Amino acid sequence: MTTTLTSQPIAINIDGKKSAAKLLENTAQEVCQLKQQGITPCLAVVLVGDDAASHVYVRNKLRTAEQVGIKSIELRFDAQLTEARLLATIDELNNDPAVHGILVQLPLPQQINESAIVRAISPVKDVDGFHPQNAGGLVQGQRVITPCTPLGCLLLLQEYGGDLSGKHAVVIGRSNIVGKPMASLLLHAHCSVTTLHSRSRDAAQLARQADILIAAVGQPQMIDASWVKPGALVIDVGINRVTRPDGSTRLVGDVDYDSVSLVAKAITPVPGGVGPMTIACLMQNTVLAAELQLQQAAG
Ligand code: GUN
């Protein structure tokens, strides 16, 4: 008898859609409870310019808000908007007691200083968790509004990886939106954390030591099996649109799913992995923001 050796994918596919649906059910219940106290959580989403991907993300956020009973307001501006006008809009939203969460979709046109905009949003309405007060609070382990994507990644890791304590987590990427807050969250979950970036030496060799590997580099399919320890949990934060030879396009992550799924224990697909969790966490953050403002009002 002859045996044919074939490579079979062995990794568990981490179903972000399913996990997000569970989270959204909980959020919808919390929204109901707030409504019983006379508060309808409200999320204001500001979209500047005509970046196609941003339009898709904002549409998904607004649709999900409606699904869980969160009121939403969409404010659209053309790409010529001035920084002063955007700051004035944020000021109005900060002072509107009916608005609990403010999200300014990034990236912004180049004439607008992103950091000035992020700092202008009231920290209790900052549902992205990007304000320096929230970013600093996260580093110090305070109960603050936490960036949605890293929070979604952590929830998936806890669901599929159990207790993370003592595990070696490697985060590839050091952005303020994902890499840095992700490293803080993993540290609070008692992981040993390594952050890799474009200047890291021997990055693949360091990544191969990870029990948990988070890829947030923005490079299509850069992380192949040679970066992954057998049995690792792999979370792919990347969403990259690539063009096929026939001119059509498709979405791929930062991880080469086909090769990595032969060695990893579990892996998130793109789409359908981290993306739905990011949006579900945004809804959860909007509820948290409404609760924080309720507490603040009660003194
Ligand atoms: N652009 C890409 N990701 C994000 C995000 O999480 N929040 C905002 N505001 N803009 C983004």
Side-chain angles (χ1 to χ4, degrees):
M1 198 175 90
T2 54
T3 316
T4 314
L5 281 177
T6 50
S7 290
Q8 293 293 332
I10 55 167
I12 295 164
N13 187 61
I14 297 177
D15 189 343
K17 277 196 213 165
K18 196 167 147 195
S19 302
K22 273 189 271 171
L23 192 56
L24 289 171
E25 252 176 60
N26 287 339
T27 308
Q29 278 174 15
E30 287 168 25
V31 170
C32 275
Q33 283 161 12
L34 280 167
K35 284 183 175 169
Q36 280 161 10
Q37 297 174 64
I39 292 153
T40 300
C42 172
L43 172 65
V45 179
V46 181
L47 178 57
V48 186
D50 37 38
D51 181 80
S54 290
H55 276 256
V56 174
Y57 296 146
V58 165
R59 200 181 321 130
N60 287 339
K61 289 170 186 178
L62 296 171
R63 195 192 306 136
T64 311
E66 191 186 348
Q67 194 187 320
V68 295
I70 291 175
K71 185 179 171 210
S72 62
I73 301 172
E74 186 185 10
L75 296 159
R76 281 195 197 194
F77 297 97
D78 65 35
Q80 281 71 47
L81 181 75
T82 63
E83 185 176 309
R85 183 76 209 288
L86 184 51
L87 287 170
T89 300
I90 291 170
D91 196 42
E92 270 177 40
L93 295 169
N94 281 340
N95 290 311
D96 185 343
V99 171
H100 302 98
I102 303 170
L103 181 143
V104 178
Q105 186 67 26
L106 305 177
L108 290 168
Q110 56 170 13
Q111 74 274 15
I112 299 177
N113 179 341
E114 266 180 23
S115 161
I117 299 305
V118 165
R119 278 182 279 118
I121 297 171
S122 163
V124 285
K125 296 193 177 187
D126 169 36
V127 285
D128 267 322
F130 296 164
H131 189 286
Q133 190 174 310
N134 287 324
L138 174 62
V139 172
Q140 296 197 345
Q142 294 161 6
R143 186 178 180 253
V144 289
I145 306 179
T146 303
C148 307
T149 298
L151 182 57
C153 293
L154 182 74
L155 295 175
L156 289 176
L157 286 169
Q158 287 170 334
E159 184 177 342
Y160 284 82
D163 184 11
L164 306 179
S165 177
K167 295 196 172 151
H168 184 196
V170 172
V171 180
I172 315 176
R174 55 174 161 177
S175 69
N176 290 337
I177 294 183
V178 183
K180 287 180 200 156
M182 186 77 248
S184 290
L185 285 172
L186 290 163
L187 210 47
H188 297 316
H190 310 295
C191 290
S192 304
V193 182
T194 302
T195 302
L196 302 179
H197 48 79
S198 52
R199 306 269 180 101
S200 295
R201 285 193 209 130
D202 303 323
Q205 187 218 322
L206 290 165
R208 262 199 313 278
Q209 295 169 24
D211 304 308
I212 292 165
L213 188 61
I214 317 273
V217 279
Q219 296 293 329
Q221 298 173 310
M222 184 182 112
I223 311 302
D224 65 19
S226 70
W227 291 63
V228 180
K229 176 162 94 174
L233 287 182
V234 179
I235 304 287
D236 188 353
V237 177
I239 305 178
N240 310 288
R241 189 164 286 283
V242 294
T243 308
R244 295 193 187 94
D246 69 0
S248 62
T249 65
R250 68 181 179 122
L251 291 180
V252 298
D254 293 344
V255 175
D256 175 15
Y257 186 97
D258 290 346
S259 83
V260 171
S261 63
L262 297 176
V263 292
K265 178 178 166 214
I267 177 173
T268 56
V270 176
V274 173
M277 289 299 283
T278 295
I279 296 185
C281 288
L282 174 65
M283 300 307 136
Q284 192 63 62
N285 278 354
T286 305
V287 167
L288 173 61
E291 286 168 354
L292 289 174
Q293 284 154 68
L294 192 61
Q295 281 168 21
Q296 223 175 35

PDB file of all heavy atoms in Angstrom, residues 54 57 61 103-107 128 130 148-149 177 278, ligand 1:
ATOM      1  N   SER A  54     -12.687  54.156   3.444  1.00  0.00           N
ATOM      2  CA  SER A  54     -13.297  54.825   4.596  1.00  0.00           C
ATOM      3  C   SER A  54     -14.821  54.832   4.467  1.00  0.00           C
ATOM      4  O   SER A  54     -15.539  54.647   5.455  1.00  0.00           O
ATOM      5  CB  SER A  54     -12.789  56.263   4.721  1.00  0.00           C
ATOM      6  OG  SER A  54     -11.442  56.265   5.115  1.00  0.00           O
ATOM      7  N   TYR A  57     -16.067  51.419   5.471  1.00  0.00           N
ATOM      8  CA  TYR A  57     -15.980  51.202   6.917  1.00  0.00           C
ATOM      9  C   TYR A  57     -17.091  51.964   7.649  1.00  0.00           C
ATOM     10  O   TYR A  57     -17.748  51.429   8.533  1.00  0.00           O
ATOM     11  CB  TYR A  57     -14.620  51.665   7.472  1.00  0.00           C
ATOM     12  CG  TYR A  57     -13.430  50.896   6.947  1.00  0.00           C
ATOM     13  CD1 TYR A  57     -12.212  51.526   6.738  1.00  0.00           C
ATOM     14  CD2 TYR A  57     -13.516  49.539   6.672  1.00  0.00           C
ATOM     15  CE1 TYR A  57     -11.107  50.832   6.257  1.00  0.00           C
ATOM     16  CE2 TYR A  57     -12.414  48.841   6.184  1.00  0.00           C
ATOM     17  CZ  TYR A  57     -11.218  49.496   5.981  1.00  0.00           C
ATOM     18  OH  TYR A  57     -10.135  48.811   5.499  1.00  0.00           O
ATOM     19  N   LYS A  61     -20.162  50.630  10.049  1.00  0.00           N
ATOM     20  CA  LYS A  61     -20.322  51.085  11.436  1.00  0.00           C
ATOM     21  C   LYS A  61     -21.741  51.589  11.671  1.00  0.00           C
ATOM     22  O   LYS A  61     -22.375  51.251  12.679  1.00  0.00           O
ATOM     23  CB  LYS A  61     -19.291  52.189  11.745  1.00  0.00           C
ATOM     24  CG  LYS A  61     -17.857  51.651  11.837  1.00  0.00           C
ATOM     25  CD  LYS A  61     -16.799  52.746  11.898  1.00  0.00           C
ATOM     26  CE  LYS A  61     -15.404  52.132  11.826  1.00  0.00           C
ATOM     27  NZ  LYS A  61     -14.305  53.100  11.835  1.00  0.00           N
ATOM     28  N   LEU A 103     -16.605  59.673  16.508  1.00  0.00           N
ATOM     29  CA  LEU A 103     -15.576  58.965  15.744  1.00  0.00           C
ATOM     30  C   LEU A 103     -15.261  59.771  14.480  1.00  0.00           C
ATOM     31  O   LEU A 103     -16.169  60.036  13.691  1.00  0.00           O
ATOM     32  CB  LEU A 103     -16.063  57.563  15.364  1.00  0.00           C
ATOM     33  CG  LEU A 103     -15.054  56.708  14.580  1.00  0.00           C
ATOM     34  CD1 LEU A 103     -15.150  55.260  15.023  1.00  0.00           C
ATOM     35  CD2 LEU A 103     -15.256  56.813  13.078  1.00  0.00           C
ATOM     36  N   VAL A 104     -14.025  60.194  14.342  1.00  0.00           N
ATOM     37  CA  VAL A 104     -13.596  60.862  13.112  1.00  0.00           C
ATOM     38  C   VAL A 104     -12.818  59.816  12.319  1.00  0.00           C
ATOM     39  O   VAL A 104     -11.753  59.362  12.747  1.00  0.00           O
ATOM     40  CB  VAL A 104     -12.716  62.094  13.419  1.00  0.00           C
ATOM     41  CG1 VAL A 104     -12.242  62.742  12.116  1.00  0.00           C
ATOM     42  CG2 VAL A 104     -13.477  63.101  14.275  1.00  0.00           C
ATOM     43  N   GLN A 105     -13.375  59.419  11.193  1.00  0.00           N
ATOM     44  CA  GLN A 105     -12.734  58.360  10.410  1.00  0.00           C
ATOM     45  C   GLN A 105     -11.384  58.827   9.869  1.00  0.00           C
ATOM     46  O   GLN A 105     -11.275  59.905   9.283  1.00  0.00           O
ATOM     47  CB  GLN A 105     -13.679  57.923   9.263  1.00  0.00           C
ATOM     48  CG  GLN A 105     -13.201  56.738   8.462  1.00  0.00           C
ATOM     49  CD  GLN A 105     -13.174  55.430   9.260  1.00  0.00           C
ATOM     50  OE1 GLN A 105     -13.915  55.250  10.225  1.00  0.00           O
ATOM     51  NE2 GLN A 105     -12.323  54.511   8.873  1.00  0.00           N
ATOM     52  N   LEU A 106     -10.368  58.040  10.054  1.00  0.00           N
ATOM     53  CA  LEU A 106      -9.021  58.326   9.558  1.00  0.00           C
ATOM     54  C   LEU A 106      -8.765  57.470   8.311  1.00  0.00           C
ATOM     55  O   LEU A 106      -9.365  56.404   8.187  1.00  0.00           O
ATOM     56  CB  LEU A 106      -7.985  58.014  10.642  1.00  0.00           C
ATOM     57  CG  LEU A 106      -8.188  58.721  11.993  1.00  0.00           C
ATOM     58  CD1 LEU A 106      -7.140  58.255  12.991  1.00  0.00           C
ATOM     59  CD2 LEU A 106      -8.147  60.231  11.837  1.00  0.00           C
ATOM     60  N   PRO A 107      -7.934  57.854   7.388  1.00  0.00           N
ATOM     61  CA  PRO A 107      -7.092  59.046   7.396  1.00  0.00           C
ATOM     62  C   PRO A 107      -7.858  60.308   7.036  1.00  0.00           C
ATOM     63  O   PRO A 107      -8.919  60.248   6.408  1.00  0.00           O
ATOM     64  CB  PRO A 107      -6.055  58.719   6.316  1.00  0.00           C
ATOM     65  CG  PRO A 107      -6.769  57.822   5.353  1.00  0.00           C
ATOM     66  CD  PRO A 107      -7.726  57.018   6.188  1.00  0.00           C
ATOM     67  N   ASP A 128     -12.930  55.769  19.892  1.00  0.00           N
ATOM     68  CA  ASP A 128     -11.771  55.120  19.273  1.00  0.00           C
ATOM     69  C   ASP A 128     -10.681  54.821  20.306  1.00  0.00           C
ATOM     70  O   ASP A 128      -9.777  54.025  20.032  1.00  0.00           O
ATOM     71  CB  ASP A 128     -11.151  56.049  18.209  1.00  0.00           C
ATOM     72  CG  ASP A 128     -11.686  55.790  16.808  1.00  0.00           C
ATOM     73  OD1 ASP A 128     -11.911  54.603  16.477  1.00  0.00           O
ATOM     74  OD2 ASP A 128     -11.839  56.761  16.054  1.00  0.00           O
ATOM     75  N   PHE A 130      -8.322  56.902  21.106  1.00  0.00           N
ATOM     76  CA  PHE A 130      -7.063  57.427  20.568  1.00  0.00           C
ATOM     77  C   PHE A 130      -6.551  58.663  21.336  1.00  0.00           C
ATOM     78  O   PHE A 130      -5.414  59.070  21.168  1.00  0.00           O
ATOM     79  CB  PHE A 130      -7.206  57.840  19.095  1.00  0.00           C
ATOM     80  CG  PHE A 130      -7.508  56.704  18.142  1.00  0.00           C
ATOM     81  CD1 PHE A 130      -7.995  56.970  16.859  1.00  0.00           C
ATOM     82  CD2 PHE A 130      -7.283  55.376  18.500  1.00  0.00           C
ATOM     83  CE1 PHE A 130      -8.264  55.937  15.967  1.00  0.00           C
ATOM     84  CE2 PHE A 130      -7.552  54.340  17.611  1.00  0.00           C
ATOM     85  CZ  PHE A 130      -8.042  54.626  16.341  1.00  0.00           C
ATOM     86  N   CYS A 148     -10.572  49.965  19.404  1.00  0.00           N
ATOM     87  CA  CYS A 148     -11.478  48.860  19.046  1.00  0.00           C
ATOM     88  C   CYS A 148     -10.755  47.651  18.438  1.00  0.00           C
ATOM     89  O   CYS A 148     -11.080  46.501  18.772  1.00  0.00           O
ATOM     90  CB  CYS A 148     -12.510  49.354  18.044  1.00  0.00           C
ATOM     91  SG  CYS A 148     -13.386  50.807  18.586  1.00  0.00           S
ATOM     92  N   THR A 149      -9.804  47.894  17.542  1.00  0.00           N
ATOM     93  CA  THR A 149      -9.175  46.756  16.861  1.00  0.00           C
ATOM     94  C   THR A 149      -8.359  45.892  17.827  1.00  0.00           C
ATOM     95  O   THR A 149      -8.562  44.669  17.884  1.00  0.00           O
ATOM     96  CB  THR A 149      -8.343  47.225  15.654  1.00  0.00           C
ATOM     97  OG1 THR A 149      -9.231  47.863  14.733  1.00  0.00           O
ATOM     98  CG2 THR A 149      -7.644  46.072  14.971  1.00  0.00           C
ATOM     99  N   ILE A 177      -2.764  53.200  16.599  1.00  0.00           N
ATOM    100  CA  ILE A 177      -4.120  52.640  16.477  1.00  0.00           C
ATOM    101  C   ILE A 177      -4.143  51.161  16.869  1.00  0.00           C
ATOM    102  O   ILE A 177      -5.079  50.695  17.490  1.00  0.00           O
ATOM    103  CB  ILE A 177      -4.644  52.818  15.028  1.00  0.00           C
ATOM    104  CG1 ILE A 177      -4.842  54.301  14.706  1.00  0.00           C
ATOM    105  CG2 ILE A 177      -5.921  52.045  14.796  1.00  0.00           C
ATOM    106  CD1 ILE A 177      -5.427  54.577  13.328  1.00  0.00           C
ATOM    107  N   THR A 278     -13.779  44.541  15.342  1.00  0.00           N
ATOM    108  CA  THR A 278     -13.501  45.974  15.503  1.00  0.00           C
ATOM    109  C   THR A 278     -14.817  46.741  15.601  1.00  0.00           C
ATOM    110  O   THR A 278     -15.004  47.590  16.481  1.00  0.00           O
ATOM    111  CB  THR A 278     -12.681  46.497  14.294  1.00  0.00           C
ATOM    112  OG1 THR A 278     -11.414  45.852  14.298  1.00  0.00           O
ATOM    113  CG2 THR A 278     -12.477  47.996  14.349  1.00  0.00           C
TER     114      THR A 278
HETATM  115  N1  GUN B   1      -9.233  54.210  10.050  1.00  0.00           N
HETATM  116  C1  GUN B   1      -8.797  52.937  10.052  1.00  0.00           C
HETATM  117  N2  GUN B   1      -9.075  52.338  11.237  1.00  0.00           N
HETATM  118  C2  GUN B   1      -9.702  53.274  11.997  1.00  0.00           C
HETATM  119  C3  GUN B   1     -10.239  53.254  13.301  1.00  0.00           C
HETATM  120  O1  GUN B   1     -10.188  52.272  14.039  1.00  0.00           O
HETATM  121  N3  GUN B   1     -10.826  54.424  13.708  1.00  0.00           N
HETATM  122  C4  GUN B   1     -10.865  55.540  12.932  1.00  0.00           C
HETATM  123  N4  GUN B   1     -11.429  56.631  13.451  1.00  0.00           N
HETATM  124  N5  GUN B   1     -10.375  55.579  11.710  1.00  0.00           N
HETATM  125  C5  GUN B   1      -9.796  54.442  11.250  1.00  0.00           C
END
